Amino acid sequence: MKATVFSWTTTWHRFAMNDSLDLPFTSVVAEVDDCGVRLLGRYDDPGRENPQIGETLTGLLGETVVGENHIPTIIWSRST
């Protein structure tokens, strides 16, 4: 799915048994193209560059492990 960055934040501390996430991690709220729905997901950028408001992203379904639970998560990445 294609979307644009609406807002984002970087988390530097652990909380809620999220040991599976490398710190820091970035969460993005992106507005899905052609429907205006905004969805929260985790940002995947190996280069560790901050997302830019209005930047185009691609979202894929992944998961986040919290304790023993595997939670479906949108993984946002820069569009190529």
Side-chain angles (χ1 to χ4, degrees):
M1 110 183 68
K2 297 288 185 183
T4 56
V5 176
F6 178 77
S7 80
W8 61 275
T9 187
T10 298
T11 301
W12 296 85
H13 302 283
R14 298 227 176 271
F15 64 94
M17 301 179 298
N18 66 353
D19 295 336
S20 68
L21 296 175
D22 293 332
L23 292 177
F25 65 90
T26 299
S27 300
V28 171
V29 175
E31 188 167 312
V32 179
D33 291 358
D34 300 325
C35 72
V37 172
R38 294 179 186 152
L39 298 174
L40 174 67
R42 194 171 73 236
Y43 186 58
D44 178 33
D45 181 36
R48 294 288 201 199
E49 293 181 33
N50 291 334
Q52 301 298 311
I53 302 299
E55 178 178 11
T56 301
L57 300 176
T58 300
L60 298 174
L61 188 58
E63 67 178 24
T64 298
V65 178
V66 178
E68 295 181 15
N69 299 307
H70 294 255
I71 301 168
T73 305
I74 296 171
I75 309 297
W76 295 113
S77 59
R78 285 194 157 85
S79 294
T80 54

